[in-house]
Amino acid sequence: MEKSIFYHAGCPVCLSAEHDIVNLIGVESVEIVHIGEKRNRIAEAEKAGVKSVPALLTPNGNVLHINYGASMADVKG
Amino acid sequence: MEKSIFYHAGCPVCLSAEHDIVNLIGVESVEIVHIGEKRNRIAEAEKAGVKSVPALLTPNGNVLHINYGASMADVKG
């Protein structure tokens, strides 16, 4: 199965959600991307429809915004 | 493994998220509860920390609010 991508920015809400998502779907099924550090992935995340982090991009292209850590505007600073 | 519980209220956002969650974690790992229909489950959901639906209550007791369909106040009408 194609991997999901979990985008986060290192905030406490993000890390808590990351832990839950990895527990639920398995570490082998998800790529974790810290877009605060890997800023070259921000454009890709926005193009995929990510409005805030943490967010999970599913293999079929849907974006699940999980709880609320930071808006993309905040991430871009 | 203990099951997660996915609370929703039948809204389009809820149904889309339900589809994604079932695909990601497997139908055998999650109980789907339509709290618009099973109104006796509303108190339990609120007690668990559900503020809006759709939301996923994980086996370790965390609540992941996914996208945004309706507030609990809307559900209670």
Side-chain angles (χ1 to χ4, degrees), chain B residues 43-67:
Chain B
E44 155 207 312
E46 285 190 311
K47 195 173 171 190
V50 173
K51 308 284 188 202
S52 62
V53 286
L56 187 71
L57 175 64
T58 70
N60 61 7
N62 288 344
V63 178
L64 301 177
H65 294 95
I66 299 167
N67 293 340

Side-chain angles (χ1 to χ4, degrees), chain A residues 46-64:
Chain A
E46 286 190 311
K47 196 172 169 191
V50 173
K51 308 285 187 202
S52 62
V53 286
L56 187 72
L57 175 63
T58 69
N60 61 6
N62 289 344
V63 179
L64 301 178

